[in-house]
DNA sequence: GTCTGGGTGTACGATAACGCACTGAAATGG
DNA sequence: CCATTTCAGTGCGTTATCGTACACCCAGAC
């Protein structure tokens, strides 16, 4: 049976799972925004100005070193948010966070968010618990980067992305994936052919379609699943209202 | 000029940098403990029972997947603490956390810690800011695992460990390092010889001595330094008292 | 229609690690 | 002191990925 993060597409699950009181508190401050591909939500060593809760689309957190190496360390969609450093009470982010796949979301000013966190311990608690799942995700990424073959890492990435989109079609170029995974573009092409050869995906120009999700999970060799399970446990998908 | 996390050896810097009021609050609950190598501070999918603030020694956070792959995703000494999932308001940890290099520390029961966090927003804020530096560390580990050669990763690891010990001598076996870095034991042996050949370290049976810290930082090619700088900024090393 | 550029397929030698296996040296413990 | 265990050094064929390079294909622009 396939595991999967059941993302309530078209609404943000972090907001959805807030208590009624907290939702009432935050809603007046949320502005609807279109989030286009490549839109930058925060930048390294810059103060976070806005926090974004996605309703659709996928965002990516990329770490970099002074020597210009880059790699994706986190990914989120309608289950998550940007701006976790505000939740952790530091103004700055060490990472670049930007949109990978266009979508829509809600923005809130960082200062307002800080005020709400102070005002509502339950909201703070909720978002802190989300941060924990993010840490788990990043840790599993570190594990994956250190121990898995490219094919496996690609399978994992596609699964995580698939969880966060509506349907089975993703608009992605090999070039783009190579940046996320921190490998050669040509390497991605080969890995994609492997997965395609096994009938797990279909690749077209600028597009990858998931054909066999369960097969992909198998191929990912358990490098998928840990943060997803944790998310279901610590956040869940139901409104807490009685 | 070498960068370096200046760890106030022999006391815990997170406790040291608390406000006087918060120190008064937490001190009655702290129990002094000897922390031997291999001592387990928390285990995967188990509730955290105690939180440890190290005064000396080094602890390690290891992520694992169902298929048994393991790799270190974080490391801390007298600058940090275990049990961050309590700070993030989830009872459980996804990781195994254990001592790598024996030392001493303070233990506090998880429930008491939760109470203190609720009671003192400033203490919570302080520890949350520490969590942010940990996230940065894990992210840089993910970057390092994905993009750097073994020699570079080893240099980074040795630097991080060096920051957290007193002096330049570390008791470590190749076997042990191979687990931390997620590579073959024989690979570690070769990498150590590289660094030794450059005169950066000296290796004996079960022991590595740092000879040229600045040279090591050079060798690590900027894969060292980001979380260390962030720690200095968000936590610092001075008491906040006026 | 042709041009142009982004995206993809492919090749090939080089390199970093791997898995495995065996040896020897140093510590430990009766 | 000798037996045992732990740790380190080394070799060798194999594999994954790299760097680089080039040709092709498709979509939109002119």
């Amino acid at each position: 049976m396939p595991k999967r993060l059941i993302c309530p597409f078209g609404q943000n699950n972090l907001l959805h799972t807030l208590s009624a009181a907290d939702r009432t508190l935050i809603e007046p401050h949320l502005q609807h925004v279109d989030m286009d591909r490549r839109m930058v939500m925060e930048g390294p060593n810059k103060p976070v100005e806005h926090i974004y809760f996605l309703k659709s689309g996928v965002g990516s957190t990329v770490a970099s070193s002074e020597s210009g190496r880059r790699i994706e360390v986190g990914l989120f969609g309608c289950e998550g948010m940007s701006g976790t450093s505000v939740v952790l009470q530091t103004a700055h982010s060490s990472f670049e966070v930007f949109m990978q796949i266009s979508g829509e979301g809600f923005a809130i000013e960082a200062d307002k968010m800080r005020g709400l966190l102070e005002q509502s311990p339950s909201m703070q608690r909720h978002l802190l618990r989300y941060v924990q799942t993010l840490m788990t995700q990043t840790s599993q990424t570190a594990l994956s980067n250190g121990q898995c073959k490219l094919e496996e890492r690609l399978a994992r990435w596609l699964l995580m992305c698939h969880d966060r989109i509506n349907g089975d079609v993703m608009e992605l170029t090999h070039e783009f994936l190579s940046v996320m995974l921190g490998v050669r573009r040509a390497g991605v092409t080969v890995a994609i052919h492997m997965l395609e050869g096994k009938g797990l995906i279909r690749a077209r120009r600028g597009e990858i379609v998931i054909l066999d999700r369960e097969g992909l999970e198998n191929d990912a060799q358990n490098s998928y699943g840990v943060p997803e399970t944790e998310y279901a446990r610590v956040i869940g998908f139901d409104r807490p209202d009685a």
Side-chain angles (χ1 to χ4, degrees), chain A residues 52-71:
Chain A
Y52 298 91
F53 295 88
L54 299 188
K55 288 162 57 180
S56 58
V58 178
S60 209
T61 305
V62 170
S64 51
S65 70
E66 286 174 36
S67 38
R69 303 177 194 280
R70 307 180 88 220
I71 209 162

Side-chain angles (χ1 to χ4, degrees), chain A residues 90-210:
Chain A
T90 70
H92 294 251
S93 164
S94 314
F95 310 114
E96 187 169 352
V97 181
F98 57 87
M99 292 301 288
Q100 297 252 337
I101 293 181
S102 306
E104 296 172 33
F106 297 108
I108 175 174
E109 284 171 32
D111 279 340
K112 290 202 175 132
M113 190 75 232
R114 269 186 277 272
L116 292 175
L117 290 169
E118 220 166 297
Q119 208 180 328
S120 165
S122 64
M123 190 186 299
Q124 191 193 36
R125 175 186 146 97
H126 191 62
L127 298 184
L128 284 178
R129 288 164 72 86
Y130 170 65
V131 170
Q132 158 107 348
T133 70
L134 251 195
M135 276 201 79
T136 302
Q137 194 195 92
T138 301
S139 299
Q140 289 291 319
T141 301
L143 175 59
S144 202
N145 290 354
Q147 303 249 297
C148 303
K149 289 193 302 182
L150 179 50
E151 182 185 340
E152 211 170 314
R153 293 214 279 140
L154 176 63
R156 172 176 181 265
W157 197 94
L158 292 174
L159 286 167
M160 297 207 306
C161 192
H162 187 217
D163 283 345
R164 291 163 174 87
I165 60 163
N166 190 17
D168 298 324
V169 182
M170 305 181 239
E171 297 205 354
L172 304 162
T173 66
H174 299 185
E175 169 65 27
F176 177 75
L177 281 167
S178 80
V179 175
M180 293 304 103
L181 298 171
V183 296
R184 280 179 323 151
R185 195 272 313 159
V188 172
T189 302
V190 172
I192 285 178
H193 290 316
M194 308 274 231
L195 296 180
E196 209 171 6
K198 296 179 183 172
L200 307 178
I201 62 174
R202 186 174 62 230
R204 294 239 178 295
R205 184 190 173 86
E207 165 184 312
I208 291 178
V209 186
I210 305 291

